[in-house]
Amino acid sequence: MAGATALIAGRGALPAHLARALAASGAPFVIAEVEGFAMDNPDGLPVMRFALERLALLFDHLHENGVTRVVMVGAVTRPRLDPERIDPRTAQLLPRIVPALAQGDDATLRAVIALFEEEGFAVVGAEAVAPDLLPPPGVLTQARPGPADERDAARAVQIVAALGAADVGQGAVVAQGLCLAVEALPGTDAMLAWVAEVAGACRPDPKGARGVVCKAPKPGQDRRVDLPAIGPATVEAAARAGLAGIVVEAGGVLLLDPAETIARADRAGLFLWVRTP
């Protein structure tokens, strides 16, 4: 299995999407799923589960399967380590991981990437496997943003940049210039649910701009991992929140199932704007 790719998988649909892309190209691959963060697996793909406490054993498994390239994909929150499960070799690695866990997501990812690279694996982004995941710049839908939407988008971009600099989140909702919600650890779905249930009533003018949800990577983050993603479910959640559209940073946000995502946005009357920074 020389030259295989390993998908280090967390929650969501993205790992299976990449697996399909690899299978379609005939490229060999294995899926190593982080224990406790099951990926969406409608195709019943074979999956090996591993715990961070036994990271060294994962490295052995990948080497045995001829893996040379690694893609870290899917949602994973910082796990709690169980000291009783740590094997002796992984114990030698944890002094580099544990301090990073306390510093935030970016620091943790950088530490984990460094360990994989030192083991001889090339760490690449999801777009290296499936280039179609990065949508082209422009408005992809029938609906288009108006001047008020453009102002809300510009304000949301500023807020997301500030959140990202503090390693907090990668999304925000702005309507009529006001920030209705920001993304934190619970994620985009929770943020949009909050707007639908509570914050949507905070719009000063009920007949004014409905608002936008903006997604963008954190400033300075390693874009090989943890790029934000949207898909059909994001459109449904934005529609329930009463928003006018979705704004994502060109080159910095992955688009899952583009045809279905755009079709649902068109049915809901939402715009999808891939905005150039």
Side-chain angles (χ1 to χ4, degrees):
M1 211 175 200
T5 298
L7 303 178
I8 309 301
R11 293 189 182 120
L14 191 51
H17 180 94
L18 295 190
R20 293 187 196 104
L22 288 164
S25 68
F29 67 93
V30 297
I31 302 174
E33 183 182 87
V34 183
E35 189 176 278
F37 301 93
M39 60 180 271
D40 297 344
N41 193 5
D43 302 332
L45 298 165
V47 170
M48 185 207 90
R49 293 178 179 84
F50 75 96
L52 187 59
E53 295 93 336
R54 300 183 177 181
L55 186 60
L57 301 181
L58 171 66
F59 291 157
D60 290 344
H61 174 81
L62 299 183
H63 285 306
E64 290 167 2
N65 283 273
V67 169
T68 58
R69 185 173 69 162
V70 166
V71 185
M72 298 180 186
V73 61
V76 177
T77 55
R78 279 166 274 170
R80 295 179 180 178
L81 301 178
D82 181 354
E84 295 184 359
R85 301 183 65 191
I86 299 172
D87 66 86
R89 287 173 52 218
T90 302
Q92 299 176 30
L93 304 176
L94 289 182
R96 297 174 56 186
I97 298 177
V98 173
L101 287 170
Q103 294 176 39
D105 292 341
D106 284 352
T108 301
L109 289 169
R110 283 194 296 270
V112 172
I113 287 172
L115 292 176
F116 274 89
E117 289 181 330
E118 289 171 16
E119 278 290 318
F121 302 112
V123 179
V124 301
E127 70 278 6
V129 172
D132 63 305
L133 286 171
L134 286 178
V139 179
L140 307 184
T141 48
Q142 296 171 9
R144 303 187 65 84
D149 300 318
E150 292 177 0
R151 290 192 294 272
D152 282 343
R155 175 65 173 150
V157 167
Q158 293 176 335
I159 293 169
V160 173
L163 287 174
D167 198 8
V168 174
Q170 298 171 306
V173 176
V174 170
Q176 300 174 28
L178 300 178
C179 182
L180 302 186
V182 296
E183 182 185 87
L185 190 60
T188 304
D189 290 346
M191 173 181 67
L192 291 173
W194 166 255
V195 175
E197 295 173 11
V198 178
C202 298
R203 296 176 178 88
D205 181 0
K207 297 182 180 180
R210 291 181 290 151
V212 303
V213 55
C214 173
K215 295 281 290 181
K218 300 170 185 175
Q221 82 171 66
D222 189 325
R223 295 198 174 198
R224 292 175 294 175
V225 293
D226 197 33
L227 277 187
I230 66 166
T234 314
V235 172
E236 299 295 334
R240 288 193 295 271
L243 301 178
I246 300 169
V247 182
V248 301
E249 181 182 308
V253 178
L254 306 177
L255 177 58
L256 304 180
D257 199 348
E260 180 61 20
T261 299
I262 294 168
R264 291 195 190 190
D266 283 337
R267 288 197 294 269
L270 272 67
F271 63 80
L272 174 53
W273 180 15
V274 183
R275 183 178 183 271
T276 302

